[in-house]
C-alpha cells in the first residue's frame, strides 16, 4: 500500500471540474515539479495555494496522479503571489482592478482585512454594500466551508446543495441535521423527503422515529398540494404515508393527532358534498365521509378567501340603474360598436356587484366588457387597478386596455419571503380591482390578493374556465363558479373573429368535442401529418428554422413557441429542447456554456424559471429593483461568467436576474415547454406535436389550452388519430378543495346575522 504523501503548491491548471459533485482533476505547481491531483476539491480555482495529502496512483492513460484525501487552503505569502491570487477571481467580487486598489490600500494585510475587518473594504472605490456581501460570502466559501462541504459530501449531497443548506442554516447546519435529518426535506428546496430519508438511514435514524413519521406526513401533504389538492382525507393520508414509509398505520394516525395538537396540520370533518378520493368513504353513516387534513397555510387561505369574497359581495354600493342604462347607450355611440345582449347584461351586472366573474373562450368579448366597465367606473370617479398572474398576461392586458397592468405580485408590492407590502393593514388604494387570467391563480395567491382589498371595493375576475387549473393548490375559478353564490356570466358567442382567423373558431369547436377546420388556404390553423417521432421532430425543425421565418417573417426565438403535452417521449419537451438548442443556438467559441446535471445552458438560450423563487433580486432597464422570479417566467441568457460563477437572465425583455451556479436547478431550456407551463402566456405562433402519450395528458383541455395560447398562427404536427383522441378525451383533473363549500357557509352566516340585526 502506497504511503500518504504531502505537497504544497499553486493550482496552475484545472483539467476537469464538476460543480455539482465538487470532483476535480488539476495540476499543482510545487515549484519543484508538477503533480496531477484529483478528488472532491470544492471551490478550488486556478491560483489557489493548497497543501494536499493523498496517495499516488498510476492511471493507465493519464499516468501518475495523487488521489487527495485531505486539503488545506494556504494563504499566499509573498506580495506578488497575493496580488496574483486576489486578481484571479477566486473571490467573487474582486477582479484585477479591485485587487490592485486593495494592495495599494492594505498591502500584505489584504486577506487579514477581508477576514477580520471586511467593512474596511468599503474604503475601496467600486465596493459598495452589495459587492461587500458578495466578497464576504465568497471568502467564507474559500476558507470556512471546506469541512462543512466535506461532511455533506460523505452523505452524497452535492456541493450546490450543501451551499443551499449553508445559506439556510449557517454553520449550525451539521448540528441541526444530526438532531433531525428530516429538517432537510422540510426546509431545503430540492431535497425531498426520500433523499432526506436515505441520509437519515445512513445516520442510523429508526424507521419508526417520530421525526420520520411527522416529516413523511408533511411530505405527502406537500406532494398532493403540488398536484393541486388543498387537503387529503385522513384515511387516504394514512394509507399513502403507511405505504411510503413502510410503517403501521396506527403510528401515522397517532402522529396526525399529535401534529394537529401542535398546529402543524389542521383537521376538520369532511362533508360528503366535497369531492373526495375512494378511500374517504362514509363508514358511520353520519353524513361525514372522513376527516380532512390540511397544511395550516392552505386551510387558513381557503377560509379567508371564502370569507373575503362573501364580504365584498355583500357590502358593495350599487350605482343607479339609470346611470348604467345611459352609460351603455353613450359608450356604444362613442365607440361606434353595438354590444350584444349578453355583453350589456354583463356590464350591468359588473357595475351592480361587489364581486363578479366573467368567463369565456377566445374572441367572446371579455376585453370589450372590461374596457366598457373601466370607462364606467372612471366616469363614477372610481380608481381602477388592473393585474394578471404573469408578466406576459399583464403586458397583454395593458395592450388591450391601454392602461397600466401589473403582475399580482408587483401590484401587492412583493418583498420576498412571501411578504407583501400591501395587506389588510396597508390595503390597495383602489375602488375597483380587475384580475385577468384568474384560472392561473392558486388559493395562496388569491388569499394574498383579497387580503389587500378594502371592504366595499369592486373585484372583477376574468378568465376561461376551460383552461387548465393553476399550477399551485386549489381550483379557485372553478370553485367560485361551482358555489353558485358569486354573480357571473359565461360568454359563448364569438365577437372577435376576423374573416381570416380560425384560431378562436377552432378553439370553440374543440371545446364542444367537434373536429377543427384544418389547412384552409391563407388561414391560420394547420395540421401537418407525420406519424413517427423522428419525422415530427424534423418537421418542427424545418418550421422553426426555415418555413415560418422565411414565409411569414416570424422570429424563431421571440415569436414561435413549441408546446408539448409532456416532458418525456421522443417528441416531448426534453427531446424538442435538445434539438432546438442545437439548431437555434449552436455551440460557438464566443458563447459561454454551463452544464448542470443533464442540462446544458449556453449564452443566448431561451430559458424558463421552473419554481417560485421569492427572494432572488432583479433590476430593470429603468433602474428599479425588486425581488422574485416565478414559475413559468421565460427569459434569455445574456451572460455566463465562470470567474464569478454566475449566469445572467433577462425576463420579459427588461427584468435582469443574476443566478449563482448553485441556483441553476431552478431553470430549464424553454424552446419547448409543457402546455401546463404556458398558462397565462400568449405567443404569436404555437407549434404542438401530436403523438402518443398518457391518457391524462392527451385530453381536450390540454389541446384547448395549447391552441388558445396562439395569437396569429397554430401548427399541429403529428398523427390525426391522436388529435381526434385528444378532442374526445374529456378527462379533467379533479382536485380536493372546499372553497365552494366555505363560500356557501359564510354567505349563509352573513345572511343569518343580517336577519338578526334587522329583526
Amino acid at each position: 500500500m502506497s504511503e500518504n504523501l504531502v505537497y504544497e503548491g499553486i493550482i496552475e491548471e484545472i483539467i476537469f471540474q464538476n460543480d455539482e459533485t465538487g470532483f476535480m482533476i488539476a495540476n499543482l505547481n510545487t515549484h519543484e515539479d508538477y503533480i496531477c491531483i484529483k478528488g472532491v476539491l470544492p471551490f478550488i480555482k486556478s491560483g489557489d495555494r493548497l497543501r494536499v495529502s493523498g496517495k499516488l496512483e498510476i492511471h493507465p492513460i493519464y499516468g501518475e496522479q495523487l488521489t487527495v484525501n485531505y486539503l488545506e487552503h494556504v494563504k499566499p505569502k509573498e506580495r506578488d503571489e497575493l496580488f496574483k491570487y486576489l486578481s484571479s477571481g477566486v473571490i467573487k467580487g474582486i477582479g484585477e482592478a479591485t485587487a490592485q486598489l486593495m494592495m495599494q490600500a492594505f498591502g500584505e494585510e489584504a486577506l487579514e482585512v477581508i477576514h477580520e475587518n471586511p467593512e474596511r473594504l468599503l474604503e475601496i472605490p467600486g465596493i459598495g454594500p452589495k459587492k461587500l456581501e458578495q466578497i464576504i460570502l465568497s471568502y467564507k466559501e474559500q476558507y470556512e466551508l471546506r469541512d462543512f462541504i466535506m461532511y455533506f459530501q460523505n452523505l452524497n449531497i452535492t456541493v450546490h446543495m450543501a451551499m443551499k443548506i449553508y445559506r439556510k442554516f449557517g454553520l449550525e447546519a451539521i448540528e441541526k441535521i444530526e438532531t433531525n435529518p428530516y429538517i432537510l426535506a422540510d426546509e431545503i428546496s430540492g431535497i425531498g423527503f426520500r433523499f432526506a430519508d436515505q441520509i437519515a438511514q445512513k445516520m442510523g435514524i429508526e424507521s419508526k422515529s417520530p421525526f420520520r413519521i411527522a416529516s413523511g406526513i408533511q411530505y405527502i401533504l406537500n406532494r398532493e398540494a403540488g398536484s393541486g389538492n388543498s387537503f387529503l382525507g385522513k384515511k387516504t393520508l394514512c394509507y399513502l404515508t403507511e405505504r411510503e414509509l413502510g410503517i403501521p398505520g396506527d403510528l401515522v394516525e397517532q402522529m396526525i393527532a399529535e401534529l394537529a395538537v401542535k398546529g402543524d396540520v389542521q383537521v376538520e370533518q369532511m362533508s360528503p358534498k366535497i369531492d373526495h378520493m375512494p378511500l374517504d368513504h362514509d363508514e358511520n353513516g353520519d353524513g361525514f365521509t372522513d376527516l380532512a387534513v390540511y397544511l395550516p397555510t392552505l386551510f387558513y387561505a381557503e377560509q379567508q378567501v371564502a370569507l373575503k369574497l362573501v364580504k365584498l359581495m355583500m357590502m358593495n354600493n350599487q350605482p343607479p340603474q339609470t346611470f348604467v342604462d345611459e352609460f351603455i347607450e353613450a359608450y356604444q355611440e362613442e365607440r361606434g360598436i353595438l354590444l350584444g345582449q349578453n355583453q350589456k347584461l354583463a356590464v350591468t351586472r359588473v357595475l351592480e356587484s361587489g364581486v363578479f366573474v366573467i368567463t369565456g373562450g377566445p374572441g367572446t368579448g371579455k376585453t370589450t366588457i372590461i374596457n366598457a366597465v373601466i370607462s364606467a367606473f372612471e366616469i363614477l370617479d372610481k380608481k381602477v387597478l388592473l393585474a394578471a398572474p404573469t408578466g406576459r398576461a399583464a403586458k397583454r392586458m395593458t395592450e388591450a386596455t391601454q392602461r397600466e397592468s401589473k403582475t399580482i405580485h408587483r401590484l401587492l408590492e412583493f418583498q420576498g419571503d412571501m411578504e407583501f407590502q400591501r395587506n389588510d393593514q396597508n390595503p390597495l388604494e383602489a375602488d375597483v380591482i380587475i384580475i385577468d387570467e384568474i384560472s392561473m391563480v392558486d388559493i395562496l395567491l388569491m388569499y394574498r390578493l383579497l387580503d389587500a382589498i378594502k371592504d366595499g371595493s369592486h373585484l372583477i375576475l376574468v378568465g376561461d374556465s376551460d383552461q387548465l387549473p393553476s399550477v399551485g393548490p386549489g381550483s379557485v375559478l372553478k370553485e367560485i363558479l361551482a358555489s353558485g353564490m358569486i354573480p357571473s356570466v359565461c360568454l359563448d358567442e364569438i365577437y372577435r373573429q376576423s374573416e381570416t382567423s380560425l384560431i378562436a373558431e377552432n378553439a370553440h369547436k374543440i371545446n364542444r368535442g367537434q373536429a377543427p377546420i384544418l389547412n384552409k388556404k391563407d388561414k391560420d390553423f394547420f395540421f401537418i401529418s407525420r406519424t413517427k417521432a423522428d419525422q415530427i421532430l424534423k418537421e418542427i425543425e424545418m418550421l422553426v428554422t426555415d418555413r415560418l421565418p422565411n414565409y411569414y417573417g416570424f422570429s424563431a426565438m421571440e415569436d414561435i413557441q413549441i408546446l408539448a403535452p409532456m416532458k418525456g417521449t421522443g417528441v416531448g419537451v426534453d427531446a424538442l429542447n435538445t434539438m432546438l438548442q442545437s439548431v437555434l443556438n449552436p455551440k460557438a467559441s464566443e458563447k459561454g456554456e454551463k452544464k448542470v446535471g443533464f442540462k446544458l445552458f449556453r449564452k443566448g438560450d431561451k430559458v424558463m424559471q421552473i419554481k417560485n423563487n421569492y427572494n432572488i433580486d432583479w433590476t430593470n432597464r429603468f433602474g428599479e429593483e425588486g425581488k422574485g422570479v416565478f414559475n413559468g417566467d421565460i427569459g434569455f441568457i445574456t451572460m455566463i461568467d465562470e470567474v464569478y460563477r454566475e449566469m445572467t437572465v433577462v425576463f420579459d425583455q427588461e427584468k435582469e436576474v443574476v443566478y449563482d451556479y448553485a441556483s441553476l436547478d431552478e431553470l430549464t431550456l424553454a424552446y419547448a415547454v409543457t402546455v401546463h407551463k404556458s398558462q397565462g402566456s400568449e405567443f404569436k405562433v404555437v407549434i404542438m406535436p401530436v403523438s402518443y402519450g398518457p391518457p391524462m395528458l392527451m385530453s381536450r383541455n390540454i389541446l384547448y389550452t395549447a391552441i388558445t395560447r396562439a395569437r396569429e398562427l397554430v401548427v399541429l404536427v403529428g398523427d390525426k388519430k391522436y388529435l381526434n383522441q385528444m378532442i374526445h378525451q374529456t378527462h379533467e383533473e379533479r382536485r380536493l378543495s372546499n372553497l365552494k363549500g366555505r363560500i356557501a357557509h359564510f354567505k349563509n352566516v352573513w345572511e343569518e346575522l343580517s336577519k338578526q340585526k334587522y329583526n
Side-chain angles (χ1 to χ4, degrees):
M1 185 179 293
S2 62
E3 62 178 323
N4 223 40
L5 301 175
V6 178
Y7 295 94
E8 182 176 321
I10 295 173
I11 295 291
E12 286 284 342
E13 179 188 11
I14 294 173
I15 300 168
F16 173 81
Q17 185 174 26
N18 185 319
D19 284 321
E20 289 201 31
T21 64
F23 182 80
M24 175 185 288
I25 302 172
N27 283 330
L28 185 76
N29 182 359
T30 67
H31 299 296
E32 296 175 358
D33 200 0
Y34 282 90
I35 303 294
C36 182
I37 64 173
K38 68 177 183 178
V40 176
L41 311 171
F43 306 118
I44 301 301
K45 293 283 186 68
S46 294
D48 281 4
R49 176 176 280 276
L50 304 179
R51 183 178 295 116
V52 298
S53 68
K55 295 181 179 179
L56 281 176
E57 298 176 355
I58 305 298
H59 191 279
I61 298 175
Y62 303 110
E64 201 171 59
Q65 294 180 325
L66 184 79
T67 300
V68 176
N69 53 37
Y70 172 81
L71 74 85
E72 177 185 348
H73 202 106
V74 180
K75 294 179 182 179
K77 299 172 182 176
E78 304 297 331
R79 187 181 180 94
D80 289 346
E81 191 178 304
L82 178 57
F83 173 71
K84 183 179 178 183
Y85 172 77
L86 288 172
S87 61
S88 69
V90 68
I91 299 177
K92 288 170 67 174
I94 300 177
E96 186 171 345
T98 303
Q100 185 70 51
L101 293 171
M102 288 177 64
M103 294 301 298
Q104 291 172 5
F106 309 124
E108 288 83 355
E109 297 180 357
L111 281 180
E112 280 69 24
V113 169
I114 298 174
H115 182 72
E116 296 174 7
N117 300 295
E119 65 280 355
R120 288 194 62 195
L121 294 178
L122 294 172
E123 301 169 18
I124 304 296
I127 297 181
K130 192 170 182 179
K131 182 171 276 192
L132 176 63
E133 184 181 348
Q134 184 184 49
I135 291 170
I136 292 171
L137 178 59
S138 181
Y139 180 82
K140 285 183 177 180
E141 290 176 0
Q142 296 297 321
Y143 290 101
E144 297 181 12
L145 297 182
R146 281 181 170 76
D147 289 343
F148 183 90
I149 297 295
M150 294 299 288
Y151 172 87
F152 286 103
Q153 286 282 320
N154 293 331
L155 295 174
N156 292 330
I157 293 177
T158 67
V159 174
H160 283 345
M161 198 57 70
M163 285 306 302
K164 282 191 174 184
I165 295 168
Y166 170 76
R167 287 167 188 166
K168 179 69 178 180
F169 300 121
L171 292 173
E172 298 177 357
I174 294 174
E175 181 182 347
K176 286 178 178 287
I177 289 159
E178 287 179 343
T179 303
N180 174 19
Y182 294 98
I183 197 172
L184 291 172
D186 298 337
E187 301 281 348
I188 305 297
S189 169
I191 295 185
F193 170 80
R194 291 177 179 174
F195 190 26
D197 204 27
Q198 292 173 13
I199 293 169
Q201 289 174 27
K202 285 186 178 183
M203 295 172 64
I205 301 294
E206 296 255 343
S207 66
K208 296 179 182 177
S209 159
F211 288 132
R212 182 171 188 258
I213 299 170
S215 184
I217 291 167
Q218 298 275 353
Y219 162 66
I220 296 295
L221 287 173
N222 276 296
R223 186 184 71 185
E224 291 300 317
S227 298
N229 293 318
S230 296
F231 69 86
L232 277 182
K234 182 183 170 186
K235 295 183 182 68
T236 299
L237 178 57
C238 286
Y239 170 75
L240 293 175
T241 309
E242 179 182 350
R243 188 176 67 178
E244 184 73 37
L245 272 60
I247 58 172
D250 59 336
L251 293 178
V252 181
E253 283 203 53
Q254 181 181 334
M255 181 53 69
I256 290 172
E258 291 180 20
L259 291 173
V261 169
K262 291 192 294 183
D264 291 336
V265 299
Q266 189 74 36
V267 179
E268 69 171 5
Q269 287 186 314
M270 186 168 71
S271 163
K273 293 181 180 179
I274 302 174
D275 289 339
H276 54 273
M277 292 184 175
L279 290 172
D280 309 322
H281 55 278
D282 181 4
E283 287 183 346
N284 304 318
D286 58 3
F288 292 95
T289 57
D290 192 7
L291 295 175
V293 185
Y294 284 81
L295 292 168
T297 52
L298 295 179
F299 178 81
Y300 184 75
E302 198 174 88
Q303 273 204 325
Q304 293 303 305
V305 167
L307 178 59
K308 190 58 179 275
L309 285 172
V310 169
K311 286 179 72 176
L312 290 173
M313 181 174 62
M314 304 301 284
M315 294 179 65
N316 194 263
N317 294 318
Q318 302 177 9
Q321 181 62 45
T322 52
F323 166 81
V324 177
D325 294 338
E326 290 170 1
F327 165 75
I328 290 175
E329 187 174 336
Y331 184 80
Q332 291 181 125
E333 185 175 342
E334 178 190 338
R335 298 297 177 99
I337 61 173
L338 188 63
L339 298 177
Q341 281 303 117
N342 218 15
Q343 290 179 312
K344 289 180 182 178
L345 178 63
V347 171
T348 301
R349 296 188 66 196
V350 168
L351 296 173
E352 292 174 348
S353 305
V355 182
F356 196 82
V357 184
I358 303 169
T359 67
T364 54
K366 297 191 295 292
T367 301
T368 299
I369 295 172
I370 292 171
N371 281 323
V373 165
I374 292 171
S375 295
F377 280 124
E378 287 176 345
I379 290 170
L380 292 168
D381 202 26
K382 304 278 189 182
K383 183 175 180 181
V384 181
L385 292 178
L386 310 178
T390 67
R392 285 175 178 265
K395 185 177 179 181
R396 196 169 72 246
M397 197 178 190
T398 296
E399 291 168 353
T401 62
Q402 297 300 301
R403 289 167 176 82
E404 183 185 21
S405 176
K406 300 178 180 180
T407 65
I408 296 174
H409 283 83
R410 192 173 176 196
L411 179 75
L412 301 180
E413 299 176 27
F414 179 69
Q415 302 294 300
D417 285 321
M418 282 306 290
E419 293 296 323
F420 296 86
Q421 193 72 29
R422 295 293 181 174
N423 49 44
D424 62 336
Q425 300 301 309
N426 181 31
L428 293 167
E429 296 168 3
D431 305 296
V432 182
I433 297 93
I434 303 176
I435 306 297
D436 198 10
E437 295 284 0
I438 188 63
S439 64
M440 291 185 64
V441 178
D442 64 29
I443 194 69
L444 293 170
L445 185 56
M446 190 67 177
Y447 157 63
R448 296 291 188 174
L449 172 66
L450 292 173
D451 189 47
I453 296 177
K454 295 182 292 188
D455 291 346
S457 299
H458 288 267
L459 175 63
I460 302 160
L461 306 174
V462 185
D464 186 345
S465 59
D466 294 311
Q467 296 283 350
L468 293 170
S470 60
V471 175
S475 190
V476 171
L477 175 58
K478 289 188 177 180
E479 291 266 311
I480 288 174
L481 294 171
S483 74
M485 302 288 173
I486 307 294
S488 65
V489 65
C490 179
L491 305 172
D492 53 13
E493 184 178 349
I494 300 177
Y495 292 94
R496 191 197 71 212
Q497 178 66 32
S498 71
E499 292 181 3
T500 59
S501 177
L502 284 175
I503 295 174
E505 185 176 348
N506 279 341
H508 289 271
K509 280 180 172 291
I510 287 168
N511 215 18
R512 294 192 294 265
Q514 299 170 354
I517 300 167
L518 303 172
N519 300 340
K520 280 199 169 186
K521 187 179 179 182
D522 298 326
K523 297 292 183 179
D524 56 2
F525 202 107
F526 296 95
F527 186 92
I528 300 174
S529 182
R530 299 288 184 269
T531 55
K532 295 182 179 178
D534 59 340
Q535 295 173 339
I536 294 173
L537 284 179
K538 189 64 180 174
E539 188 64 39
I540 290 175
E541 178 185 338
M542 292 297 295
L543 285 166
V544 171
T545 60
D546 181 24
R547 293 167 64 184
L548 295 184
N550 291 334
Y551 186 78
Y552 290 95
F554 291 121
S555 163
M557 294 290 247
E558 297 284 352
D559 299 333
I560 301 172
Q561 184 62 55
I562 316 299
L563 303 181
M566 66 211 82
K567 289 184 178 179
T569 78
V571 293
V573 164
D574 295 337
L576 285 160
N577 272 322
T578 300
M579 178 271 288
L580 291 164
Q581 182 189 47
S582 69
V583 297
L584 294 179
N585 190 31
K587 185 179 181 68
S589 58
E590 70 275 11
K591 296 177 185 176
E593 291 186 351
K594 175 62 187 168
K595 199 168 191 312
V596 181
F598 295 106
K599 294 183 288 191
L600 174 68
F601 294 114
R602 184 176 293 141
K603 182 180 177 181
D605 274 339
K606 187 178 185 178
V607 292
M608 173 182 278
Q609 178 81 11
I610 56 174
K611 60 180 74 171
N612 290 332
N613 185 331
Y614 297 106
N615 299 315
I616 197 165
D617 296 317
W618 57 259
T619 57
N620 66 18
R621 65 178 186 270
F622 306 111
E624 297 171 330
E625 297 182 349
K627 286 184 178 291
V629 182
F630 305 104
N631 193 351
D633 286 354
I634 292 177
F636 290 89
I637 298 172
T638 58
M639 182 180 293
I640 296 177
D641 190 330
E642 276 294 339
V643 173
Y644 288 88
R645 302 168 65 79
E646 294 174 341
M647 191 164 87
T648 303
V649 179
V650 175
F651 293 94
D652 294 325
Q653 300 178 328
E654 64 172 43
K655 195 161 69 172
E656 185 176 272
V657 179
V658 178
Y659 292 81
D660 60 37
Y661 280 179
S663 302
L664 295 185
D665 59 345
E666 297 181 2
L667 293 169
T668 192
L669 293 176
Y671 300 99
V673 301
T674 62
V675 177
H676 279 88
K677 292 287 189 185
S678 73
Q679 290 170 266
S681 295
E682 187 176 74
F683 313 98
K684 286 186 178 181
V685 181
V686 165
I687 300 174
M688 180 177 171
V690 181
S691 185
Y692 172 79
M696 66 180 298
L697 294 176
M698 300 298 292
S699 65
R700 182 185 298 172
N701 65 339
I702 291 276
L703 178 61
Y704 175 81
T705 299
I707 66 175
T708 55
R709 300 305 87 203
R711 190 163 71 243
E712 297 182 22
L713 183 66
V714 171
V715 184
L716 307 178
V717 183
D719 192 328
K720 195 167 283 188
K721 72 179 179 183
Y722 294 117
L723 175 63
N724 292 330
Q725 177 183 320
M726 294 185 82
I727 292 169
H728 294 103
Q729 172 60 267
T730 57
H731 168 82
E732 191 171 339
E733 184 181 346
R734 200 178 80 182
R735 296 186 165 192
L736 298 177
S737 167
N738 192 28
L739 179 60
K740 64 181 180 183
R742 296 191 196 283
I743 291 171
H745 167 73
F746 284 122
K747 186 169 185 291
N748 290 336
V749 169
W750 188 283
E751 289 174 345
E752 187 60 36
L753 290 173
S754 297
K755 286 179 185 176
Q756 293 175 13
K757 180 178 178 181
Y758 293 109
N759 286 341

